[in-house]
Amino acid sequence: MLRMPRARGQARCGLGEGDRVEADELLLLVAGGDQKAFEELYGLVSGPVFGLVRRVVRDPAQSEEVAQEVLLELWRSAAKFDPGRGSAMSWVLTLAHRRAVDRVRSARAAGEREQREALRANQPAFDQVTEEVEAGLEREWVRRCLDRLTVLQRQSVTLAYYEGYTYREVAEQLSLPLGTVKTRMRDGLTRMRECLGGVA
Amino acid sequence: MSLFRREDPHSLAAPYALDALEPPERIRFERHMKDCDRCTAEVRALSEDAVRLAWSTAAPPPAAMRDRVMLAVRTTPQDPAPQGASHASARTRATQLPPHVWGAQPPPRQRRRIPLFVPFATATAAAALVVASLFAVQANRTQDRLTAEQDRSREIAHVLAAPDARAGSGRDGRGRTIGVIASATEGSAVVTLGGYGAPAGGRVHQLWLMRPGAQPRSLGLFASDTPLVATGLGASATSLAVTVEPAGGSPQPTTQPIVQLALKSVGFGE
Ligand SMILES: [Zn+2]
């Protein structure tokens, strides 16, 4: 396998297949208490984790806090990682997404209704993807593939994933029946998979 | 919620993969997946799709975040492996477990939150180094021990988080070290010994607070290489001393200090 040399623990953004395999191996070492391995793993996952959390949470200070908690949880719970269930990167990003969504929902519950109104006024969520700092290849592909979805598929997927809304809230915002939203989410994700070529 | 029952439970795989279920629904659906291979397989695939959406958002985190995470890692014990698996054999375990679905059982919430991320302005790289040696993670910790370590981690984090936390260290003629991270405003310190090992004959290393015009006050006993958290240090505290004492410690020092460290450099006695 080809591996690019890189400084230990440096945050990066792009991800290749090699990184994913490497993340799996590192996480297994981390599960055994290897702090050096954690530093390397940090270099691989901190960019994706931070970017995702910031995308969902928005507020920079809160994003940093949530990202830190996720990365520490990664250290603490490394022994729970099971490569038989999926890649380390998926595990970490799923964890990060869950925490980010929890945070943004509790912030909303605490009274940030204006954001909801703003969203109802409607800015398709995916547009912000293009504003992110670095336009990596992956980013470009995802954006293109999102563009190929129907409007309702795209909105159902992005309102849930990037904005942290439940499917009930999405249904309400788009004035669609619950069943339709669930189907749009499923079809949207499946079409993304086809478009991205299933390189998971 | 009755709504859930009226719905087709098999239809929730996509909302689940997108984290778009409310917590009670999430839990019910996870229960459903245990008996439903179809949903389990679907969630597995859809979760990987959802993760693709995450990759496109990667962004470099603030540089300071790395230091905070690394410091936290050095002072935070790891959770034990899930039941039936041994810490030492992560690789073997991984291949032995049945490949059931990723996503069906997300990592459980931690039992307790350890507030490690209060900003600390002055806990320096030296502080990190002092702490670094202490928490070599050990396999097969008992739950009691783990709980005790978590408590200590929290105390250590508390000292580190103090805005005036400062680190200092001393070295004796044989290269053995005493390290301290202390906060004068909190009146607390984390103290570590390096290179002393355990005293022979079941004796112990005892830590003392030295103050002008007062008897030394015991701050506790060192257990092997783990750090000791000392609290209740007044502003008049001038130095710390370590003596070798009989098992269980002594009310007052019975031997000469093996190492002593002035606290002035960490903000005391001014
Ligand atoms: Zn089902």
Side-chain angles (χ1 to χ4, degrees), chain B residues 8-13 29 32-33 35-40 42:
Chain B
D8 173 12
H10 302 296
S11 70
L12 290 177
F29 186 65
H32 167 77
M33 270 192 292
D35 301 318
C36 181
D37 292 344
R38 179 178 131 198
C39 284
T40 298
E42 201 170 1

Side-chain angles (χ1 to χ4, degrees), chain B residues 82-142:
Chain B
Q83 283 184 339
S86 129
H87 233 286
S89 61
R91 266 168 209 285
T92 342
R93 169 177 58 85
T95 55
Q96 283 165 352
L97 284 183
H100 62 291
V101 169
W102 153 249
Q105 296 167 317
R109 283 195 162 281
Q110 57 251 30
R111 288 177 297 281
R112 264 184 290 162
R113 289 173 72 84
I114 304 179
L116 278 163
F117 288 119
V118 197
F120 46 93
T122 47
T124 56
L129 269 176
V130 171
V131 178
S133 58
L134 319 173
F135 277 97
V137 176
Q138 298 160 54
N140 307 320
R141 272 188 299 254
T142 64

Side-chain angles (χ1 to χ4, degrees), chain A residues 27-174:
Chain A
L27 189 49
L28 289 170
L29 292 174
V30 170
D34 187 332
Q35 295 184 356
K36 282 279 169 245
F38 184 83
E39 284 184 33
E40 288 195 47
L41 185 62
Y42 182 96
L44 285 178
V45 305
S46 61
V49 165
F50 178 72
L52 175 60
V53 170
R54 197 185 59 179
R55 182 69 185 78
V56 175
V57 173
R58 303 286 179 85
D59 177 74
Q62 285 200 47
S63 301
E64 201 175 326
E65 200 179 303
V66 172
Q68 284 173 170
E69 284 168 8
V70 168
L71 290 161
L72 186 58
E73 190 170 346
L74 176 62
W75 160 257
R76 194 160 32 206
S77 307
K80 298 193 181 89
F81 169 63
D82 174 4
R85 294 187 208 171
S87 71
M89 199 60 84
S90 296
W91 192 67
V92 175
L93 288 175
T94 302
L95 175 65
H97 189 259
R98 178 71 56 91
R99 296 289 175 263
V101 162
D102 287 347
R103 173 67 64 103
V104 85
R105 284 189 195 154
S106 55
R108 257 173 221 150
E112 294 176 16
R113 300 276 165 196
E114 326 81 64
Q115 201 179 347
R116 190 174 191 151
E117 299 309 319
L119 269 166
R120 202 182 297 230
N122 211 348
Q123 227 110 36
F126 70 95
D127 279 356
Q128 275 130 26
V129 173
T130 59
E131 294 166 12
E132 293 292 341
V133 203
E134 282 177 34
L137 193 60
E138 182 78 29
R139 192 186 313 270
E140 181 57 22
W141 269 112
V142 168
R143 200 185 60 78
R144 276 194 208 172
C145 290
L146 278 171
D147 279 344
R148 286 186 203 169
L149 305 185
T150 69
V151 173
L152 287 183
Q153 285 171 349
R154 182 166 58 235
Q155 289 188 333
S156 300
V157 166
T158 55
L159 282 173
Y161 197 76
Y162 289 137
E163 311 298 329
Y165 288 104
T166 66
Y167 79 100
R168 288 175 198 283
E169 291 169 323
V170 172
E172 196 184 304
Q173 289 186 31
L174 302 178

